[in-house]
Amino acid sequence: MTQWKAICRVEDIPRLGARRVQRPAGGAVAIFRNADDQVFALLDRCPHKGGPLSQGIVFGTSVACPLHNWTIGLDDGCAREPDHGCTPRFTVKIDDGQVYLDVEELDTLALDEVKAAA
Ligand code: FES
């Protein structure tokens, strides 16, 4: 059974922006909120050259990377054509305005990639 960790409330995430969640094991997670108050979570690392996606601008269901302006889909973490590559996506649960992330994903997801990039 999935264990969930309460992170923040939806309104704590800037609309069209993101909030950064540090993980003890490394590799922060970026939690995004779009204009429709949908919430998405990705590893805070662009699949291009590791730019901080949490500092990008959200539009629709995408974020523009602040470094070289690649468009990354928030629903799948993947770069839009003509660019390639994906960044890991984290499962988000919203319950009564509270944002939760999966504890196991926080502890384990994409740690190899983070170490390889360090
Ligand atoms: S690092 Fe994100 S577009 Fe280059």
Side-chain angles (χ1 to χ4, degrees):
M1 183 159 158
T2 306
Q3 271 192 295
W4 298 99
K5 178 173 183 178
I7 303 294
C8 62
R9 298 199 53 83
V10 172
E11 61 265 26
D12 295 332
I13 308 167
R15 191 174 268 148
L16 303 184
R19 188 178 169 118
R20 204 163 188 265
V21 178
Q22 292 290 353
R23 298 193 292 169
V29 178
I31 305 183
F32 303 90
R33 175 184 176 192
N34 73 5
D36 298 327
D37 290 335
Q38 292 175 289
V39 176
F40 306 87
L42 301 177
L43 187 67
D44 191 16
R45 194 158 65 76
C46 178
H48 180 213
K49 293 193 174 173
L53 295 176
S54 59
Q55 293 175 33
I57 303 289
V58 172
F59 59 101
T61 54
S62 301
V63 60
C65 178
L67 290 197
H68 314 99
N69 212 32
W70 277 25
T71 297
I72 310 299
L74 293 173
D75 45 358
D76 60 4
C78 292
R80 296 298 180 240
E81 295 283 336
D83 301 314
H84 309 275
C86 299
T87 200
R89 188 180 64 86
F90 290 74
T91 309
V92 176
K93 180 174 97 160
I94 309 283
D95 186 8
D96 198 22
Q98 180 75 40
V99 178
Y100 297 86
L101 293 177
D102 180 328
V103 169
E104 190 177 335
E105 288 184 357
L106 282 171
D107 286 346
T108 61
L109 189 64
L111 293 182
D112 291 351
E113 292 183 38
V114 171
K115 281 188 196 128

